[in-house]
Amino acid sequence: MKAIEIREYGGPEVLQETQRPDPEPKAGEILIRVAAAGINRPDVFQRTGNYPVPPGASDLPGLEVAGVVVGGDLSNAANRFGLKAGDRVCALVQGGGYAELCTAPIEQCLPVPEGLTDIEAAALPETFFTVWSNVFDRGQLGKGPRGAAETLLIQGGSSGIGTTAIQIAKAMGFKVFATAGSDDKCKACEDLGADRAINYKTQDFVAEIKALTEGKGVDVILDMVGGSYLARELSCVADDGRIVIIALLGGAKAEIPLGDILRRRITVTGSTLRPRPSSFKGAIAQALHQHVWPLLAAGKIKPVIHKVFPAAQAADAHRLMESSEHIGKIVLTW
């Protein structure tokens, strides 16, 4: 099969097309003929040597794919959606997505929602699994003291994660705020349903959030920045609020007022999805199929695709990802 490999750690130019043996699915895995694969920040970190591949995973980058089932352990009890050969699926994978064929734990595979293309389906798994796990499971949006009246702040609302979180939270009836780095990106967030988007380069998001919430603060913050943002987030999160950290683009260290956490009963938590077992990801898949897949099929939410590249142009796709000029997802196709 054709594949895109990381020849050595470095810039986008180290991504090169190669020939690899077809992967062999193990027990509990299916084999997918890949039509499209989503690009994510962890792919960039892996390419630069800053995101080690989990033991036993493919060294090829790529954490999400869409395509057709061509074989594997389809009789496994974990095949909860009754997938069979020839079915269109999307899957969250440990690696290996930048290839014409990819294996995936069957627990982490979902049928493509009705009406979506392969390109759109490839943009679902990584962001939708991440958002559900962190906003609704860890962040418990809607399950705090204010219930359905709770509010969400998304740092980086124009990213793939951000555009997903805005749409899901709004579709479920929550008030949503977001930050973004330009007026155009802020408008894109508001067009997707954000009640207000804040340009973090020209506005103080703490002051804006306090004004928007009459001084109460937001109930849940989805943070992809870390670093100095954490102390500022503690200033605009509500009492009994939850801050969920999923990336550290602004740095891995922070100095924060611990007294605020004690006095105001604030939870600071975080997670990474890639190392978690298939059973954990399978539970997220079931929740998505129940709560979010009907919204996709009904057209109430839709993945935002910024640009599609042929797989052979993966280096150009990574350059776009690193420029942060995109709004939504970047996808490779075979």
Side-chain angles (χ1 to χ4, degrees):
M1 67 174 184
K2 292 180 181 178
I4 305 299
E5 68 179 4
I6 300 170
R7 290 290 176 89
E8 59 184 347
Y9 295 139
E13 68 279 357
V14 304
L15 294 171
Q16 297 186 24
E17 187 174 306
T18 187
Q19 290 283 337
R20 288 284 187 97
D22 293 353
E24 294 287 340
K26 302 173 186 174
E29 293 183 341
I30 63 171
L31 183 64
I32 300 168
R33 183 167 297 283
V34 177
I39 289 183
N40 296 280
R41 288 280 177 184
D43 303 344
V44 173
F45 299 149
Q46 180 178 333
R47 192 202 74 222
T48 57
N50 295 308
Y51 198 4
V53 175
S58 170
D59 66 302
L60 297 174
L63 300 177
E64 58 185 348
V65 299
V68 175
V69 178
V70 292
D73 189 6
L74 292 163
S75 62
N76 193 283
N79 185 4
R80 296 183 176 90
F81 305 122
L83 301 175
K84 59 187 182 301
D87 284 352
R88 296 174 65 228
V89 295
C90 58
L92 184 72
V93 296
Q94 284 278 60
Y98 291 15
E100 291 182 307
L101 292 166
C102 182
T103 59
I106 200 164
E107 289 177 294
Q108 297 170 205
C109 300
L110 284 151
V112 172
E114 184 178 349
L116 266 65
T117 66
D118 290 329
I119 289 170
E120 291 169 327
L124 297 177
E126 176 69 13
T127 52
F128 277 67
F129 275 68
T130 298
V131 167
W132 188 268
S133 178
N134 288 283
V135 173
F136 296 97
D137 289 342
R138 299 196 73 79
Q140 294 285 288
L141 181 63
K143 297 180 181 177
R146 299 200 311 121
E150 288 199 325
T151 53
L152 170 68
L153 169 62
I154 302 157
Q155 302 284 22
S158 62
S159 65
I161 294 285
T163 55
T164 298
I166 289 169
Q167 291 187 81
I168 295 177
K170 282 304 295 182
M172 294 187 169
F174 296 101
K175 182 170 283 190
V176 178
F177 307 117
T179 62
S182 72
D183 290 343
D184 286 345
K185 288 183 176 182
C186 286
K187 182 180 184 304
C189 292
E190 291 176 354
D191 288 346
L192 287 170
D195 293 272
R196 176 70 181 276
I198 302 160
N199 186 337
Y200 64 80
K201 292 184 178 179
T202 60
Q203 298 172 288
D204 178 357
F205 75 79
V206 174
E208 293 294 326
I209 290 297
K210 285 184 174 179
L212 290 165
T213 60
E214 299 179 340
K216 296 182 180 67
V218 290
D219 300 286
V220 177
I221 298 177
L222 183 64
D223 179 13
M224 293 173 255
V225 183
S228 63
Y229 264 47
L230 185 55
R232 299 171 67 192
E233 288 165 348
L234 285 167
S235 298
C236 65
V237 71
D239 291 355
D240 295 296
R242 289 83 72 196
I243 300 172
V244 186
I245 304 168
I246 61 169
L248 303 171
L249 297 175
K253 295 184 179 180
E255 186 172 328
I256 59 173
L258 294 175
D260 281 4
I261 295 175
L262 300 177
R263 179 172 53 84
R264 299 173 51 219
R265 305 170 302 282
I266 296 168
T267 298
V268 179
T269 184
S271 74
T272 56
L273 190 57
R274 195 174 189 181
R276 303 303 295 270
S278 289
S279 57
F280 176 84
K281 297 170 189 174
I284 300 173
Q286 292 179 70
L288 287 171
H289 192 259
Q290 178 181 351
H291 299 289
V292 179
W293 255 227
L295 298 172
L296 286 161
K300 294 182 178 179
I301 61 177
K302 193 172 186 178
V304 177
I305 309 297
H306 181 85
K307 192 166 183 178
V308 179
F309 290 86
Q313 296 177 20
D316 291 332
H318 272 228
R319 289 186 186 98
L320 176 57
M321 170 68 75
E322 290 181 296
S323 76
S324 294
E325 294 178 358
H326 60 291
I327 296 173
K329 296 285 292 189
I330 303 167
V331 178
L332 299 179
T333 59
W334 288 100

